[in-house]
Each structure stands twice: as structure tokens, then as C-alpha cells.
Amino acid sequence: QKHLESLQNYYGNSLETGPLQRLTNLLLVEGLTDIQQKEHDILQIEATKGLRNASKSIPLEKLFLPLSKVSIPPRISMTVGVAGIGKSTLVKLFVYTWAKGEINRDIIFVLPLTFRELNTYEKLSAERLIRSAFPHITEPNCISAGTARTLLILDGLDEFKTPLDFSNTVVCTDPKKEIQVDNLITNIIRGNLLQEASVWVTSRPTAASQIPGGLVDRMTEIRGFKAAEMKDFLDQMFLDNRDLSSQVLRHIKANRSLHIMCTVPGFCWISGSSIGYYLKNSSDQAQEMTVVPKTLSEIYSYYFKMALSSDWPEKQRETLRIEQAVNNSKKIMGNLSRLAFYGLLKRKYVFYEQDMKTYGIDLSLLQSSLCGRLLLKEEVQSFTAYYFSHLTIQEFLAAIYYYTAAKRAIFDLFTESGMSWPKLGFLSHFKSAVQRSLQAEDGQLDIFVRFLSGLLSPQVNKLLSGWLLVKDEHNSFRSQAISFLQGCLNTDYVISSRTVNTMQCLYEIQHMEIAKTVEEAMKNESLSGMLTPVNCSALAYLLQVSDVCMEETNLSNCLTYNVCKSLLSQLLFCHNLRLDNNQFKDNVMELLGSVLSVKDCQIQKLSLAENQISNKGAKALAMSLMVNRSLMALDLRSNSIGPKGAKALADALKKNQVLLSLNLQHNAIKEEGAMFLAEALLTNHRLTTLHLQKNSIGAHGARKIAEALKQNCSLKELILSSNSVGDNGSVALAEALKVNHSLQNLDLQSNSISNAGVTALTGALCSNKGLISLNLRENSISKEGGPAIAQALRTNSTLRKLDLAANLLHDEGGKAIALAMKENRALTSLHLQWNFIQAKAAMALAQALQYNSSLASLDLQENAIGDEGMAALSAALKVNTTLADLHLQVASVGTVGAQALAEALMVNNSLQILDLRGNSIGVVGAKAMANALKVNRSLRRLNLQENSLGMDGAICIATALKGNHGLTYVNLQGNCIGQSGAKMISDAIRTNSPDCVVEV
């Protein structure tokens, strides 16, 4: 009871208010990714765009429970998250909720400890560890005796002073024996001590890699803010000023990389405070005189300026004059920044009273001075610890120290003793810092050198001059620093995170010429031939930060093997990646296969169309699909993949349960390849789209796929056009459609299907309840096939789109279909283009339109329906209320037909698209149409191209637009208008209808 009360009091009081819902659901992950183990927290967020490939989540109350009825609770659990994401807050939330009896009642003891506290001991026993932290527990040995389930929490492994060394652990099983603290922790984790207790460790990702993955039973990760949570957080920050909160959020969203970073609460607090401070203080000045903080250095400069001027979000402005505050703070800022720099070098993020004294920091000033705004203090009975409010605050202060000291230092500042080769001048020290960051494998100094570069930017100098910097002093170093940074980019197509960070340094220093040039080329799709090593570095950087890459990263027709190889680590995090027409051979597929196999991979769509991929390349991609968990769409159209490549991909599909769409159009998989893919469809329950057009699969291949469709229930779209499927293949597919009700789109264009095939297919449609779209364009369906199609249209109630263009239906077939359309209530789109249909069928269709209430699109182009057919359709349009698109290109419509149509348009309110290209409506027809346009309000697009309008007819149409408020596009090309006529029409349109696009 004492234990519960003490925990409730301590954790209840220290638990911050605000949106904590995010912490009640953690991401369940399978170990650390490469980037988490190797890179700085900020680089992790930037590279992954704040997202993680985690398909599962776990509620906080189930964190220490078995995942299934047959599994056991985890002994060692680890929760990772970047600096400022809320790890300690999560621990406080859990302990407080548990102490109130709301979750995990099976756990009798929860013993929360922090590594900050463990830093204060040299040696400890397991027993004393528990007793010293919780003196009210009188019998610590009960915890190891297994009489009660106990949870030992070890919060903040990244703050532990000694790295854990599991390879050289000295085994200890005696809970009373005093041993080195790091050795005690490794023995507890290994299960040599407190083996009955569950252990929960929290850590930043890089430090978490100290614990071997095999010892961790459950790993979770704290996710960042979603959009609504970020808004709530900012609203909490600016409770008294919701308008300011909205402005801050708008500025954050306008900067893609800043928006990604602000998914981390700690960083969102700093950015929100800075931008809020800027907005409050710049509203009085002319807006063009100031710039919204965008770079990291600008954001932190505003944050420090806000701290220095005592204008903290929670407090009113103090009466102390700013100048006096600066003078009072200069000495302590100098000492604090030195502590920050040397702490950073030693990977030390927590400081104790002895550290403060060593660096000359007056403890009595910590309560009231500037330090209290940047440095947090934790007081427990046995110790007092200090730590910077966010890792980046320490890094910015470290950069301030280095910048200031480098101007006068004689020796290398990285050796604290001062014993080193002499280094004279700021630039010498600047180069030394950049080189050290480039050589560091874990990116420990990356953000530090970004800030150091940022201190040379004109904007930051302007902000901090007179506070922390001397006015305009950056001018003497800036250009040389830029030249040096650019020199670091010329790395012969070897691009790493360090290279990208160098580009970030150039962004901080505000020199963006290279990046702007490459970004412009990306926008214009003109990167071909531009990708030198320096431009490749800029491209790698842009892949992370540019809005051009937000929806799609298009690197088509510009990459070589070497460039692709150099960009692999950046391509990993592009969600939608297009690499078409790059002449890629199989060796590039091996590279891309390695990327797709990596745990970090976030590529969801990959297009490799129009390359030179053969079976070997397909096999490399297939191998990666066996393990990949992100790719949902793979486009391999127009390559040279044969049956063996198809087999490899089919084998992958048997195991892969992520891929939704596979496009193999225009390869050479043939009958054999179709057979392998059909086998895969029997076991794959994930693929929804399969494109196999132009693959010579023949009737036999179609039969194999049809057999698979009888069992497969996941495939929604199957494209088999131009495959010589013939009647035999069609009959097999028809049999499948009688039992398969999940396929929605079947494309059999250009497959030599005649009446026998169409009779089988339409027979299946009489009972099929799933197909929505059927494409039978460019086959050999004659007028005898019409009645079979008609029968299906009378019976079927699910088909929405039917394409019968370029067949041989003639008037007889057309009339049969028209009669059925009187009864059909499902079809919305009917294509009958180029079917030798004439006036009689058009009249039958017109009669159907008077009764039909579902058809929205009718295509009769390249059928000689003439004025008679046009007049009948026009009469129907007077009463029909659903037809929106009518296509009548080259339909032998003359003046009389146009006049009838114009009459209909005066009353019709549904037609939006009307295409009359290639007819002969002439000047008289144009005048009739012009009169109709003055009245009609529904038409949006009108094509009168090549209609013998002449200048007079075209001018009539153009002037009619004055009264028309609906049209957005009119095409009058090919009407012998002449230059003077074109000018008159253009002028008339500019005056009468400036929003309408008219092509003359």
C-alpha cells in the first residue's frame, strides 16, 4: 500500500497534462532497423519521413501480456523512440495508471528506475538496487523468489554513463553481491539475476542496439503525432490564443521537412514556441522585412532569443531590460555551452552537481536564470540531475560554444586538454568539425555541424547579433565555408547519410543554388545527363525534403547503374518510385532487390517499365518479394521477361502477402508463364490486379488462369488483351465467371473472339454477380452475337461498363442491344464505336434512351448514323435525364442533324460532354448550335473540330459563349478559320468567356 501511494503521488504530480492518447497504443516492431542503429535521431525522422513500417500495434494495457493463448508474457520488453517522443512520459503514464489499479492487475510490484539514478552508483547488488530506490519494500528477495509478478522499469538507457557490454558479462547469480552497475544490468537482462521479474527498458534507438536482439522478447516503438494530435498539442501550447495556434500550424505545414520533424512532441514544442514568438513579435513590423524561421538554426535562434529576452510562453515579460539580461547571461551561457559541447563529445546527456562545478556553472543561478529555461532539473532524495530540455538544445549550445571558441582557439577544440597540433583561424576549426562529422559512422555530430553552418547564415547572424554573435562577422567566413562544404560533396558517386547532411549544412548556411537547379530539372523531368556526383548529392537530399517527391518520385530516363547504386539508401524511403525507361539491365535489379529486402524499406509502388529486364532481373526482384513487407504495386511492363522470370515471380506470389498489383504487360511470358502465375493465384489471397496484355499466353494460358479463377477470390482486375485467347480461351473464362463473383474488371480486347466466345461469356454474365467492366473491343463479334449480348443485358444487374468498339455488329446487332437497353437498369457506359451501325440501330438506341435511366456515356463514333439517326437521338435527349457523355465523331452528321441536336440542347439538362469532331454541320449548323449554347447550362466540353464551320460559323459559336456560363472547353480547330478569324475569335472569347478554354 505504501508502495502504491508513493508511486501515485510521485508520478501523478509529475505527469504532464496534454494529449496523451498517442501513448496508449504502441507500434509492435521486429527489432531495430539499420537506420535506427546507425543514425542520429533527427536523421532517422528525416529519412523515414516520420513513418515506420509497422503493421501491428499493441495497447498499453497489453504491453506485458502474452500475444496469444499459447504464448507466454515477455520477460524483456523494450520501447524505443527518438529524443523528445515521450518515452519518460509513457513510463510515468503506465506507472500512474497501474498504481491506480486500472491496468495490469496481475503485476504485484512495479519498480521504476532511471539510468540517471543508476549513474550515481559505482557498484550495486540486485537487492540494494531495489531497497535503495524503494526503502518501504522490506523483503527484496521476494521479487527473485517468484512469489509475485514484478515489473522492473529501466528508463533512458541512452543516458547511462557506461555502454553495456554483453559479450564480456561477468556472470553473477547472487542478489546480495555488489558488482559494477553495468554488469548488474547485463546480468538482470540475461536472466542471471531477478530472473522471475519482467524488465522493461526504454531508450533512444541507437543506444538500444547495445542489447542483443535475441535477448529482447518484445520490442515496441512510440509513434509520433498524427495531424489531429499535432493540432491539439499546439492548441494546448497557445491555450489563450487559438488564432496564433492556427497560424503556427499553417507555417509548419508549409515546410515539408519541418512538418515531418514536428511529429515529435519535443521538437514540435521548440518549433511551435519559436514560430509563435516570431509571429507575435513581427506583426508590428512590415512582414517583408522578416522571414518565417525555416531552417533548424533559425528556429533555434528564435527559441534562444525568446529565452534570453525572458519571453517564455508561460510567463509574462519580465521587467528586467533585455540588455541587462544579456549581460547577466553571457558568462553562464559560455559555461553552459562548453558543458554542452564536451558533453556531446563524450555522449553525455545527463549532468550532476560535480559536472556543473567542473564547468564553472553557479548552481545558485540555475533556478532563476536563463539556464532554467534550457536545462531541466530532476531532484530525488539521493541525487540531483540536470539535462537539456531536448537533445537538439544541447547540440545548438555546443555549436554556439564551438563557433565562439574557434575564433580565438589555438589548439584543436575536440581535445579538451588542449594538447594537440595547433589550429589557427575559424575556418581551420570549421573544417575540422565538418571532417570529424563526415568520419563519424553514427552521425553523432551531424546536427552539431548543421547548427555550426547555420550560425554563418545572414538571417541567424541578424537574429543573434548582440546576443550570442557579433554583427556581420559571418561575412568573412561564409563563402569559404560554402566552398569547403561543396568540396565535400564531390565524392565520386558515393552518397551516404553524411553526404545528405552536408547538403543540409548548405541549406542551413542558406546556399541552395545546386539543390534549386536539380529540383527545377526534376519538376521539368529533364534530369537526363545532369547527374554529376555533386548533383547526385543534391538529388539524394531532395528525395528527403522536396515537395516534388511528395506524391511521386519520378527518376525515369535519367539514371545509370552507378547513380542508382549511389542513391539506394535514399530510394529506400520513397513511397511511390518511378524508374521507367532507364535502360536498366539485370544488374540494377539485383541492387533494387537488395533495397526491397531491407527491413527499413518503405517503397509502396515501384515502376520499372520500358527497361531491359530479363529473367535474371525478374528472379532478383522475386527473391526480394519473398521478404518485402511494403511493396503493393510492381510495374514491369515493356521488358523482356520470359517464362522463367514469370515462374520466379509466381513463386514469390505464393509467399508474398503484401503485393496488390502486378503489371507484366508487353513481356514474353507465353503459355508456360501464364501457367506458373495461375498456380500462384491458387494460393495467393492478396493480389487484386494482374496485367498480362501482349504476352502471347494463347488459349491454353487463358484456360489455366480460368481454372485458377474458380478458386481465387481476391483478384479484382484481370487484363488479358492482345493474347490470342480466341474462342477456346473465352469459353474457359466464361466457365470461371459462373462461379467467380469477385472479379470486377475483365479486359479481353484484341483476342480474335467471335460469336462462339461471346455467346459463352454473355451466358456466364446471366448468372455472374461480380463483374463490373467487360472489354471486348477489337474482336470479331458479328451481328449474330448481338442477341446473346442482349440476353445478358436483360438478365445481368451488376455490369456497369461494356466496350464493344471495333467489332462487326452492324445494324442488326446494334438493334438487338438497343432493345435490351430498354430493360437494363445497371449499365452506365456503352461503347459501340466503329461497328458499321447506321440510322436504324441509332433510332433503336434513341428509343431505348427514352426509357433507360442508368446509361451515362454512349459512344457511337465512326458509325454512319447520318442526320436521320442524329434526329432520333436528339428527340431522345429532350426526355432523357441521365446521359452525360455523347461521342459522335465521324458519324456523317450534317446541317439537319445539327439543327435537331441544337433544339434538344435547349431543353436537355444532363449532357456535359458532346464530341462532334469530323462531321459536316457547316455554318447553318453552327448558328443553330450557337443559339442553343446561349440557353444550355449543363454542357461543359464541346468538340466541333473539322466541321466545315468557316470563319462565320466559328465566330457565331465564340460570341454565343457570352451568354453561356457552363462551358469550360470548346475545340474549333480545322475549320478553315484563318489567322484573322482566329484573332477575332480569341478577342471575343477573352471578352465574353475568359474562363473557357477555346482551341482555334
Side-chain angles (χ1 to χ4, degrees), residues 273-319:
S273 302
S274 301
I275 295 169
Y277 175 77
Y278 157 79
L279 291 169
K280 278 196 285 188
N281 288 278
S282 66
S283 53
D284 311 321
Q285 307 163 16
Q287 281 292 320
E288 61 270 15
M289 297 290 286
T290 56
V291 181
V292 181
K294 288 181 181 174
T295 69
L296 273 183
S297 308
E298 287 168 12
I299 285 163
Y300 282 73
S301 297
Y302 271 110
Y303 192 78
F304 272 71
K305 191 170 179 179
M306 178 175 67
L308 285 159
S309 62
S310 303
D311 187 11
W312 207 240
E314 301 106 1
K315 297 181 181 179
Q316 294 299 311
R317 184 180 290 277
E318 293 173 13
T319 53

Side-chain angles (χ1 to χ4, degrees), residues 435-585:
Q435 281 163 343
R436 279 179 183 267
S437 87
L438 289 171
Q439 287 157 11
E441 286 185 9
D442 61 358
Q444 184 212 357
L445 296 172
D446 281 3
I447 305 304
F448 162 75
V449 294
R450 272 197 220 177
F451 282 136
L452 184 61
S453 304
L455 293 173
L456 291 171
S457 92
Q459 184 65 16
V460 170
N461 181 271
K462 188 176 166 186
L463 279 168
L464 294 182
S465 59
W467 304 70
L468 299 172
L469 305 179
V470 177
K471 191 180 181 192
D472 293 336
E473 67 177 349
H474 67 290
N475 290 337
S476 50
F477 315 126
R478 187 169 176 269
S479 59
Q480 288 165 286
I482 289 168
S483 298
F484 177 72
L485 288 168
Q486 286 180 331
C488 295
L489 295 174
N490 199 355
T491 50
D492 193 27
Y493 295 119
V494 178
I495 292 172
S496 66
S497 300
R498 307 289 79 75
T499 318
V500 175
N501 198 62
T502 306
M503 282 300 304
Q504 293 276 13
C505 289
L506 285 165
Y507 175 61
E508 293 294 327
I509 212 168
Q510 287 297 277
H511 180 82
M512 292 303 293
E513 278 73 2
I514 304 169
K516 279 177 183 168
T517 304
V518 175
E519 188 170 40
E520 202 53 43
M522 281 182 83
K523 279 181 190 169
N524 302 329
E525 296 184 15
S526 58
L527 274 174
S528 182
M530 272 186 66
L531 293 177
T532 60
V534 170
N535 285 347
C536 265
S537 304
L539 178 58
Y541 161 75
L542 290 166
L543 291 177
Q544 280 188 14
V545 304
S546 174
D547 289 336
V548 178
C549 307
M550 200 139 114
E551 296 299 318
E552 178 185 76
T553 304
N554 186 355
L555 297 176
S556 301
N557 194 29
C558 66
L559 298 187
T560 61
Y561 174 86
N562 283 338
V563 172
C564 186
K565 188 177 180 182
S566 72
L567 291 170
L568 287 182
S569 59
Q570 307 308 317
L571 297 178
L572 200 60
F573 303 106
C574 297
H575 290 176
N576 185 355
L577 184 57
R578 263 182 68 195
L579 302 173
D580 303 344
N581 196 21
N582 275 309
Q583 279 79 56
F584 280 164
K585 294 189 169 66

Side-chain angles (χ1 to χ4, degrees), residues 667-687:
N667 279 280
I669 69 165
K670 302 188 177 171
E671 286 183 11
E672 201 181 345
M675 187 174 72
F676 294 131
L677 287 166
E679 273 175 35
L681 289 177
L682 292 172
T683 53
N684 181 291
H685 304 298
R686 187 73 178 156
L687 200 72

Side-chain angles (χ1 to χ4, degrees), residues 32 117 136 157 237 248 408 692 841 961:
L32 297 168
E117 187 175 346
H136 41 262
L157 173 60
M237 278 181 69
V248 169
R408 59 176 187 275
L692 296 176
L961 296 180

Side-chain angles (χ1 to χ4, degrees), residues 818 841-851 858 869 871-877 879:
M843 289 161 76
L845 282 164
Q847 205 175 3
L849 284 176
Q850 295 187 26
Y851 298 93
L858 177 61
L873 286 169
S874 300
L877 286 177
V879 292

Side-chain angles (χ1 to χ4, degrees), residues 94 109 116 222 248 354 445 489 538 590 647 817 862 938:
F94 175 84
F109 284 112
R116 282 175 208 151
I222 302 177
V248 169
Q354 187 52 51
L445 296 172
L489 295 174
E590 287 165 11
K647 183 182 188 306
I817 290 167
E862 297 179 269
S938 66

